Amino acid sequence: MIKRVLSIETSCDDTSVAVVRHDGFVESVVSANQDLQHAPFGGIVPEIACRNHTLNLLPLVEEALKKSGQDWDGIEGIAVTNRPGLIGSLIVGVSTAKTLAQVRGLPLIGVNHLEGHLQAAFLKDDQFSAPADFTYPFVALAVSGGHSTVYYVPEFGRYEVLGTTMDDAAGEAFDKFAKMLGLGFPGGVQVDKLAQTGNPTAFELPRSLIKEDNEMMSFSGLKSSAARLIESLGPAETQKRLNDLCASFQEAIVDVLIAKLDRAVRVKKCKRAVITGGVSANSRLRARGQEWAQKMGVQLVVPPIRYCTDNAAMIGRVGVERLNRGERDALDMGPSPSSQPADFVGENR
Ligand code: KG4
Ligand code: ZN
């Protein structure tokens, strides 16, 4: 059995390295975010992202090892995100991981980033672990800057897509809305902060597809409505009502996300759920998720924020499990901007 892996995540703009044990215990996770480098452009610039991964990655490998208390002799495998993501960013992580695996003679495994988000529920550390009886099957809402999807997960490695967004991801909607308000990048967290003292019913905004009998989502109508609202208010009134605007926008997104998770739980008759991905850092989504779970008698796991936003620990968890199931990737493994067809099942994938 492989006892622990070193894992690497560079699929987007965060560089992250972790040392993760076979039982999901995170011995160390260290990350470098690039928000300052991308902020002047109002979004992620792929070439800046991969250049910064090159600068950050090997120092983080050293730091992750040191923090874990391990040296290279304690590392028995290498896991790396190799799909989906920005290709230049993935290339940095994949090339580094392959080199480390070759030089150390270690087994290598490429991991789907989204599977990482879904498996983050099973990570453990001194402060967090899911309830001991939390297991499969579960329903999951994975919401990030690039994805908003509801899954049914009957067992490790099987991810059934129940529904997904037809246009913008929830995080993308938060970021675009924040940009309209001049709140900087990434904007989700700013909207969350301002919304805390705002009135969520101050402005009426659309909840597209909320009543549809499926788990499909759409956030582009909400974005256009918000743009029209901001225009009609004008700059002075917009500034005065920032908190109410943020609270109303956030509430519209959270209403849709909870409604779709709720439907999935009912349709699948499944009393276990996970909310994960960068947007699950949102305080309103976390609070509403807990309220909903209590009301429905659903066992809900929302990993701590450090495992919800992009991180290498979740990649290590998937990697060590797959290596222990006998899976290996060869040194000619490549990065891919998209998932592989076999990664997910279901007609909406
Ligand atoms: O999972 P993640 O770190 O990266 C991707 O794989 O996309 O998600 C990043 C997204 C961004 O759109 C960011 O604005 C959003 O998560 N986000 C939030 C919050 N924190 C991060 N959205 C709403 N409220 C937050 N507190
Ligand atoms: Zn992500």
Side-chain angles (χ1 to χ4, degrees), residues 113 117 144-146 171-172 174-175 186 188-189 192 277-279 281-282 308-310:
H113 178 85
H117 276 304
S144 70
E172 196 179 351
F174 270 112
D175 293 340
V189 65
D192 187 349
V279 177
N282 183 268
C308 282
T309 52
D310 286 352

Side-chain angles (χ1 to χ4, degrees), residues 167-168 205-208 218-228 249:
D167 37 62
D168 292 350
L205 289 163
R207 275 90 168 138
S208 307
S218 163
F219 297 106
S220 73
L222 170 64
K223 184 186 63 189
S224 320
S225 296
R228 281 196 299 275
F249 184 87

